[in-house]
Amino acid sequence: MPGYHAGMTLPELPALPGTYVLLLTANATVILNMPRRGQVALPAGQYAYVGSAHGPGGLRARVGRHLRAEKPLHWHIDQLTAVLPVAHVVTITGAAKLECGWTKRLLALNGASAPAPGFGSADCRNACPAHLVRLPDGLNLAEVEEALVRDRLGLLETAVTPA
């Protein structure tokens, strides 16, 4: 895969705009208390949250914020990362807004679902059901990456989060 770099660390993530996927694993059902939405139950499984980083500091700043334990709980994903660690991050640099396209590609995987409608997609203009996807059981990282970059060239990078 062109431009693929395994094992990047957070400081190596570029301070450039881009799109990212946070991969998280829930070993049991997770109950989230979402402001204005009430309780949301996420069944055990592997999840992908798709986001974009087009503000100051780009991917490094946005992904870094998601990985910090101490932070105000502002976005839906903050509620989830407060109880589940991020296991892996996949990023691509560039000004193109790939968030909705990536979400649709992940949802198209056989067995994928959006168990929390509206999660992470409050400002979505493309009618995405959510930007949090429960991935099919048994899907591996290479298959996630393949789904994201199929038919598209770009600099795809991954970062394993610190333990």
Side-chain angles (χ1 to χ4, degrees), residues 20 34 36-37 48-52 74-78 99-101 103-104 107 114-133:
Y20 62 91
M34 304 295 294
R36 298 182 300 275
R37 295 190 47 162
Y49 173 78
V50 185
S52 60
H74 177 72
W75 291 300
H76 291 151
I77 189 61
D78 293 338
E99 190 173 357
C100 294
T103 298
K104 288 178 176 133
L107 282 169
F119 190 105
S121 61
D123 60 350
C124 178
R125 295 185 180 136
N126 294 307
C128 292
H131 285 182
L132 179 70
V133 177

